[in-house]
Amino acid sequence: MPVRLARAHGKAHAAHRAAGLKKRSPYGVALAGLVREHLAEVARELEEPVRDVRGYEYAVINDHALFPFRYADRPRPLDRARLPANASPTRRRLFQAHGPRPQEGLFDIDDGLATDEYLGLHEAFDELGASTKLVCVFFTADAEHGIHAIHWGEARLEQDRTFTWQYNERLPLAPVRLAE
């Protein structure tokens, strides 16, 4: 995992420099796409499936879909990770349907009382399969300094867009060779 993220950073950094861009957002967009591509390559090498969900490829290894997410462009503790306010309904649904289940609430929501929107957020993606679980691969990175930290584990998305981690592990960083 660390090696694949380092390679993705190297390519995103090279594209950013070659384009002569000063803004950081193109680096982030390139990095996001490259990380997904590199994780898909890992799945294929392991003869595991790669599933297309709404135009994005997700590596599925041992019935666990890998969800990469750059949560900051500078070093920041994992407990400060937050899904952006403009995150797509697809991202939210991935967490609701395939992430860890929330603790039991005070009252169960009866299917007859739940709205279509609520039910839709909890419906598993057919492309992934109902039993597929979500494994979060969260990291911080920027074009100048590369990958700062990588964490992976199981996280539940909360209503305030923060995450409650059921389990997480910090992974070591891999060296990056940048093109001059």
Side-chain angles (χ1 to χ4, degrees), residues 35-53:
V35 167
R36 274 193 299 277
E37 282 182 18
H38 282 274
L39 295 181
E41 285 175 13
V42 169
R44 288 182 182 105
E45 289 169 6
L46 296 171
E47 297 182 5
E48 294 281 353
V50 174
R51 304 284 188 228
D52 184 283
V53 177

Side-chain angles (χ1 to χ4, degrees), residues 78 136 151-155 165-170:
L78 182 62
C136 300
H151 303 267
W152 72 348
E154 293 182 0
W165 290 86
Q166 310 298 306
Y167 168 81
N168 77 75
E169 179 180 350
R170 186 168 181 156

Side-chain angles (χ1 to χ4, degrees), residues 13-14 25 27 29 38 47 55 74 79 88 96 98 103 105 123 129 136 148 156 162 169:
H13 179 267
S25 60
Y27 164 80
V29 170
H38 282 274
E47 297 182 5
R74 60 186 176 276
D79 63 2
S88 71
Q96 297 298 329
H98 297 280
Q103 294 178 343
E123 184 180 336
C136 300
H148 313 122
R156 183 177 67 245
T162 60
E169 179 180 350

Side-chain angles (χ1 to χ4, degrees), residues 78-84 95 138 155-165:
L78 182 62
D79 63 2
R80 303 279 309 276
R82 186 178 198 101
L83 197 65
F95 279 97
F138 281 30
R156 183 177 67 245
L157 177 63
E158 302 296 346
Q159 290 196 6
D160 65 356
R161 301 183 337 268
T162 60
F163 299 91
T164 299
W165 290 86

